[in-house]
Amino acid sequence: MNNADLFTILPLIAAVLAATAVLLVDLILPRRRDVALATALIALAIVAVITIAVGGQERTAYGGAYTVDRLTTFLDVLFVAIVGLTIAFAPDYLEPRDLPIAEFSIVLIFAMSGAMLIAASTDLLLLFLGLELMVLPGYLLAGFHKTDGYSTEGAIKYFLLGSFSSAIFLFGLAFVWGLTGSTRVAEIAARLTTLGAGGVSAGLAMGLAFMTTGVAFKIAAVPFHYWTPDAYQGSPTPVTGYLSVGPKVGAFALILRLFVEALAPLKNQWEAVIVVLAALTMTLGNLVALTQNNVKRMLAYSSIAHTGYMLVGLAAYAAGRMEGLQGLLFYGAAYSFMNLGAFAVVGALQRRAGVTSNLETFAGLGRREPLLGILMTLFLLSLTGIPPTAGFFAKAYVILAAVQAGGPLAVLAVIAVLNAAAAAFYYLRVVVYMFMREPQTDAPPLAHSRLLWGGLGVATALTIVLGLIPGPLLEIVGQAAKAIG
């Protein structure tokens, strides 16, 4: 290790120190939740600044195992934004239930450090370490409300299935390492060019199958999605919001480093699998979401469907369209902000203990709390893909890339458009309840914290700005895509 290596990994060090700082503040001032929250948010802002400063030029550390490039910087800043918004939304839900906010923030930041490690890893061992550092805190967060049976049940299912999928993924990595003799991403790509020239061997096919299964679970792709509805519905609502975007974007970062870089010579082999996964994931996610009367569970199946849309971008890239990779990255950012905003509104309504996330809870929200109703409508319209929101352009870019790729991808684009139209029904049904149904209770509206309103303001602004002015983000994701494509 030398000074250059330390400077390169400085964003990761800053993330770990941020979690440590919150831990120390909580130990010294255990009753001052406001101080712990302020420490977490300030520390995250510092991490973002350091990330941007270090990412000014491409750097490598530890013999090429750790790389900072445009993709790393983009993903790291996105991870920081996701965790920062989650922490801002959490107190309104956690405080009435007497759940520890400092511990929540610490676990989240450690999970973020795992995602950051994935984004920068160009070595299979580091990729797996980053993956586990990201998902293990997720298991803890899913069961954060220890006295709630649903939270415990969801956490157990998530942990058991997650452990199996990690083991399967590790088997796949072992096959690739055994056949190529290296764990470095660049060396694997070079050796697979030779190995794959005469066709894919049985061992390599097994490795691809294991790795695809492992990552498909992490992104909740059909048919590896079974854990998602129970884990999302049982988790505390701020945790559900995080799980729907944080681990998903982190897992797609893993896919980019592994499939787009290391396994690029074999993309003709895994392209067909991605096309099938995308079609199944979109269709099943939307069809089951149509039948849900619980908004958290509906958003869980919606999250599955959005995974399918993102896979459309990956499939388009495999078919030779760089625009697919750009669309995937744009979709990841846009989806993160609009989905976190939607879950923040759900959590705000649950500030009063005992309030469920059933559709009836949203009845008359447009009259009881007009601002929350308007913001929820905006986020749902963006999730639907109505212009000029960020969600519209996110869907448009991945679908357009698929159309340009032609062949089977054109059929996949048609399936994506049909699914987007079907999704409008269950999203707009919530809007109907908010503005066209009578309230189910006469209870007065609750006062919400300034932190919640501030977080909602940021999510709202990004959802609108990325829809009206997508150019700057498109330029950023274009540079990020070129770093690996």
Side-chain angles (χ1 to χ4, degrees):
M1 182 187 298
N2 53 43
N3 290 336
D5 288 347
L6 283 175
F7 184 77
T8 302
I9 67 169
L10 194 56
L12 185 61
I13 294 174
V16 175
L17 290 178
T20 306
V22 180
L23 177 61
L24 291 175
V25 167
D26 188 48
L27 286 172
I28 297 169
L29 301 170
R31 300 181 184 277
R32 296 298 304 274
R33 294 183 173 187
D34 55 336
V35 177
L37 275 172
T39 303
L41 294 174
I42 292 171
L44 286 172
I46 294 172
V47 172
V49 171
I50 292 174
T51 298
I52 294 170
V54 173
Q57 65 182 60
E58 186 170 331
R59 308 171 189 274
T60 60
Y62 303 105
Y66 188 101
T67 300
V68 172
D69 53 23
R70 296 290 186 181
L71 177 65
T72 306
T73 304
F74 168 75
L75 290 172
D76 284 356
V77 172
L78 180 57
F79 294 141
V80 171
I82 289 171
V83 171
L85 285 175
T86 304
I87 292 174
F89 295 145
D92 271 36
Y93 182 95
L94 299 181
E95 285 182 347
R97 292 160 179 81
D98 200 29
L99 296 175
I101 294 174
E103 290 179 23
F104 177 82
S105 303
I106 294 164
V107 176
L108 263 181
I109 296 173
F110 274 123
M112 180 191 76
S113 67
M116 293 174 69
L117 182 57
I118 291 174
S121 295
T122 44
D123 183 276
L124 298 187
L125 294 178
L126 277 185
L127 277 173
F128 185 74
L129 287 175
L131 177 65
E132 291 306 294
L133 182 55
M134 178 183 71
V135 299
L136 287 175
Y139 306 148
L140 295 175
L141 291 170
F144 200 67
H145 198 171
K146 295 184 286 292
T147 59
D148 186 342
Y150 289 110
S151 181
T152 303
E153 177 189 353
I156 291 173
K157 289 180 179 179
Y158 187 19
F159 169 70
L160 290 176
L161 293 175
S163 300
F164 290 141
S165 70
S166 293
I168 291 169
F169 178 69
L170 187 57
F171 271 121
L173 295 183
F175 271 100
V176 172
W177 168 71
L179 289 167
T180 61
S182 176
T183 59
R184 290 287 195 271
V185 164
E187 293 177 10
I188 290 171
R191 294 176 189 181
L192 285 179
T193 302
T194 303
L195 288 173
V200 177
S201 65
L204 193 53
M206 288 287 288
L208 277 172
F210 281 135
M211 288 186 294
T212 303
T213 301
V215 297
F217 174 90
K218 302 303 182 185
I219 60 176
V222 174
F224 309 102
H225 66 287
Y226 296 106
W227 61 275
T228 310
D230 291 334
Y232 283 17
Q233 186 177 2
S235 300
T237 301
V239 174
T240 308
Y242 165 74
L243 292 178
S244 69
V245 294
K248 188 185 299 292
V249 175
F252 270 102
L254 173 67
I255 289 173
L256 294 177
R257 289 299 185 190
L258 184 60
F259 283 79
V260 175
E261 285 195 293
L263 304 179
L266 304 179
K267 63 183 178 182
N268 290 334
Q269 279 71 39
W270 54 258
E271 177 191 350
V273 177
I274 298 299
V275 170
V276 173
L277 283 177
L280 289 176
T281 303
M282 285 186 293
T283 304
L284 185 70
N286 281 319
L287 287 179
V288 181
L290 287 169
T291 66
Q292 303 302 311
N293 291 316
N294 183 287
V295 175
K296 279 178 70 174
R297 199 170 183 88
M298 178 268 285
L299 289 173
Y301 282 105
S302 159
S303 176
I304 294 171
H306 283 282
T307 295
Y309 299 131
M310 295 173 76
L311 286 173
V312 172
L314 182 62
Y317 164 76
R321 302 300 306 186
M322 180 61 72
E323 294 88 349
L325 206 56
Q326 298 170 8
L328 190 159
L329 293 172
F330 186 96
Y331 204 117
Y335 173 71
S336 296
F337 301 127
M338 59 191 178
N339 209 51
L340 280 175
F343 274 108
V345 175
V346 177
L349 294 181
Q350 293 180 305
R351 182 177 176 86
R352 182 182 286 110
V355 174
T356 68
S357 56
N358 292 331
L359 268 172
E360 289 74 17
T361 300
F362 290 80
L365 181 63
R367 275 169 283 176
R368 290 187 289 117
E369 299 191 54
L371 186 53
L372 277 184
I374 291 170
L375 293 181
M376 187 64 169
T377 300
L378 171 68
F379 297 132
L380 292 175
L381 290 177
S382 187
L383 288 167
T384 305
I386 303 297
T389 60
F392 168 76
F393 284 101
K395 284 187 173 67
Y397 293 137
V398 295
I399 292 173
L400 182 60
V403 170
Q404 291 171 339
L409 272 296
V411 178
L412 186 63
V414 172
I415 295 173
V417 171
L418 293 175
N419 272 282
F425 175 81
Y426 60 81
Y427 286 130
L428 296 180
R429 184 169 59 161
V430 181
V431 179
V432 169
Y433 267 79
M434 289 192 297
F435 292 96
M436 300 181 186
R437 296 291 176 88
E438 292 297 324
Q440 299 293 310
T441 177
D442 294 328
L446 293 171
H448 303 292
S449 68
R450 293 179 180 177
L451 199 56
L452 174 78
W453 288 120
L456 282 172
V458 172
T460 301
L462 290 170
T463 300
I464 294 173
V465 170
L466 293 181
L468 294 175
I469 315 173
L473 182 59
L474 279 176
E475 183 177 349
I476 292 172
V477 298
Q479 294 174 352
K482 289 178 183 176
I484 58 171

